Amino acid sequence: MAARTMQAARCPTDELSLTNCAVVSEKDLQSGQHVTVKTTPNHKFAFTVKTHHTVAPGSIAFSLPQRKWAGLSIGQEVEVSNYTFDKSKQCIGAMTIEIDFLQKKSTDSSPYDSDKMAAEFIQQFNNQAFSVTQQLVFSFCDKLFGLVVKDIEAMDASILKGEAASAKKPQKIDVGLMVGNSQVIFEKAESSSLTLVGKAKTKEARQTIINPDWNFEKMGIGGLDKEFSDIFRRAFASRVFPPDIVEQMGCKHVKGILLFGPPGCGKTLMARQIGKMLNAREPKVVNGPEILNKYVGESEANIRKLFAEAEEEQKRLGANSGLHIIIFDELDAICKQRGTGASSTGVHDTVVNQLLSKIDGVEQLNNILVIGMTNRPDLIDDALMRPGRFEVKMEIGLPDEKGRVQILNIHTSKMRGYNLLAPDVDIIELAAETKNYSGAELEGLVRAAQSTAMNRHIKATSTVEVDMERAEKLQVTRTDFIGSLNNDIKPAFGTNQEDYSSYIMNGIIKWGDAVTHVMDDGELLVQQTKNSDRTPLVAVLLEGPPHSGKTALAAKIAEDSQFPFIKICSPDKMIGHSEISKCQAIKKVFDDAYKSQLSCVVVDDIERLLDYVPIGPRFSNMVLQALLVLLKKPPPKGRKLLIIGTTSRKDVLQEMEMLDAFSTTIHAPNISTGEQLVDALELLGSFTDKERAKIAQQLKGKRVWIGIKKLLVLIEMSLQMDQDYRVTKFLSLLRDEGADRSFYE
């Protein structure tokens, strides 16, 4: 707008006179524009304007403090022209303001917090022009204060870009633009009886909404760098930008973040640190079950109370309102799917309805951030998960090796500082050994190692006392950590060594090329699972006659893979289970496997899992359908899964159309020749050389058919006899075994 002549007028309402804006007709200018008002050829004053319908076109209305400062009289003609701020040089970094009670008769001796005052001032006058010597009225805690701007320093341009502050001395300016991260310092007038308390007395380097020196290790968060940067990009990037740019883009801030994942991976910790890292007020932390109340309507009232402060502030300050953070722990306790409650009261449903309307209902709030946490995202109502509510869904999974190094460094940093960690403790080695450990389990491991170390310094006398001389030299060593790793702390989502070691307690007897081929093929499939991005799911069926050692081979392939997650889904764990609970148990094994980067699931004895018997024939169709789905379901992005199934009835699986679910089939044969049987005896080392020669002579050129598992039983039975009869007994047992099944010629 070119300069135009306007007439000075009186501010139409007391409320408008507290805004520090010049008031104009909407036909002349728009709210939020900045103008310069030229009163004499040598005097110019900067103002931000606001429109009001009572102001006549061609008039510009000023409050009494503004007229006093600019030396204006009612009806005076002034020259008004547009003013544009140079954001790189004219944003206010720090502004010093002299403060006193507006009217001497309204003085009181109660202390006023200058920090709260500064926060309120920035919210009320955000995006407004201020000049040195300017006078204005400020309302705080229902009291009116008279202010005079004493000094303005420009904000360092590098801070505006989100970088660390440069070492240059701040530039003094006469006119500046108030922004969300400006600093306001209040100093009371010399003769004032006002009492000020708070830290905002000195100028300090002011940063953006996020602290640039943000350090994960100091904050006690490890292994979540990528998740944190994703949350920042989605939820906070729009809040760092000046409000006017956000408004021009028509951008609405993200209002909800849902953190989900296995227990102990840092969801609650991350939510707590988000609250600390922002220049927002202290977050409200709510445990889901605390909301619920036995009285009708009280649970909904508890939800409304959480949002009341944010609603009140938004009505009062609009776009300049500060950020209110509400953290819901155990969100699934109150936000279950509606219509699924067993009770007829439907309390959960009304609580969910209340929360839905508060986060993104008819009256929208733009100054809230709700963070929900759960390890059961499947239970939460769908309406909460849509964009506009919990739109940022972030899985906080098990930490990778780099993350485990960070977490272990956090939990051992204090010990390292006081020289209580022995030099032989290698954090990188520990991180490599703790595959699939969650953050909480790693913290538990450090605690267990500390307890072991302390236990060494307790005298085992009639009374329990500490050996003070040796306690001075206390150090937590590598042995303490390895001992705790092997005995005390086991990962919830990991390999259960007792589980699969029982299947291979006698080792793998490589009695012929057939066994070597099975192991080699297994190794190839393990490498394929690890290295191929095209096949994140590899399913193999290990089939063969009963007692041929299929389960032992599958367990050995799984153990050799060194995958962080190995589980054996075995029928012996599901004795007496109903069909539904069996399906749920199998599904849980697979769900747990999806949480790890690399997993191996052994589905043992498939026909037993399916309750198959040849008489009838009968099997569980429900379990069959569940297995068919799980065998074909690819793991989530970035995760890899190897499934090894074992069966003695390939023909039955063929009829059930289950073979197609496996990528490939490997045959585990029985011992079929006398030579192979003698080789097996030699590897087992049970008989003497002389006895083996005798057995070899009897079996030369003959065909046998026996599984390695059954052979072990026959050998152990024969060894109970006297030395002279052992061979005879063994051959007799072998003949009987063959005669029963026509396997022996």
Side-chain angles (χ1 to χ4, degrees), residues 488-678:
D488 297 326
I489 308 290
K490 296 285 180 201
F493 302 95
T495 60
N496 192 345
Q497 212 153 2
E498 294 82 21
D499 220 22
Y500 57 76
S501 56
S502 61
Y503 293 109
I504 40 178
M505 58 185 179
N506 296 312
I508 299 296
I509 315 299
K510 293 190 179 175
W511 48 260
D513 290 344
V515 183
T516 312
H517 288 324
V518 172
M519 293 302 292
D520 289 350
D521 287 351
E523 172 61 23
L524 279 176
L525 290 163
V526 166
Q527 292 306 324
Q528 179 187 341
T529 311
K530 266 186 194 169
N531 304 325
S532 168
D533 291 327
R534 290 183 176 181
T535 53
L537 174 69
V538 176
V540 56
L541 181 67
L542 200 54
E543 59 83 22
H547 311 305
S548 57
K550 299 179 294 300
T551 306
L553 287 165
K556 183 66 178 164
I557 292 165
E559 185 187 38
D560 290 351
S561 73
Q562 294 286 300
F563 283 5
F565 181 95
I566 298 169
K567 267 282 191 303
I568 295 184
C569 180
S570 168
D572 60 11
K573 305 259 172 58
M574 299 181 200
I575 295 169
H577 279 214
S578 68
E579 282 188 297
I580 292 172
S581 62
K582 200 181 269 195
C583 289
Q584 286 170 340
I586 296 169
K587 184 176 182 294
K588 187 179 185 311
V589 170
F590 279 84
D591 283 346
D592 289 353
Y594 298 144
K595 287 171 183 158
S596 175
Q597 306 287 322
L598 269 175
S599 310
C600 177
V601 174
V602 177
V603 185
D604 190 29
D605 217 350
I606 293 173
E607 67 274 16
R608 277 298 69 72
L609 275 175
L610 297 174
D611 297 332
Y612 168 77
V613 282
I615 306 164
R618 184 186 169 277
F619 67 93
S620 165
N621 190 42
M622 192 185 280
V623 178
L624 171 66
Q625 298 305 328
L627 270 176
L628 285 172
V629 170
L630 291 168
L631 288 171
K632 291 179 181 175
K633 182 185 174 186
K637 196 177 177 194
R639 313 283 160 87
K640 295 182 173 183
L641 175 62
L642 170 65
I643 303 169
I644 307 172
T646 71
T647 183
S648 308
R649 296 300 305 264
K650 183 184 174 187
D651 55 325
V652 172
L653 299 195
Q654 176 80 59
E655 279 182 48
M656 292 176 179
E657 297 183 347
M658 199 175 189
L659 287 188
D660 299 338
F662 290 96
S663 328
T664 183
T665 306
I666 300 174
H667 180 63
N670 268 350
I671 294 171
S672 56
T673 66
E675 286 74 19
Q676 287 174 340
L677 198 145
V678 173

Side-chain angles (χ1 to χ4, degrees), residues 58-78:
S59 293
I60 181 162
F62 299 98
S63 65
L64 181 62
Q66 288 170 329
R67 296 202 303 274
K68 274 170 74 177
W69 168 53
L72 283 160
S73 56
I74 306 292
Q76 181 180 339
E77 288 195 344
V78 291

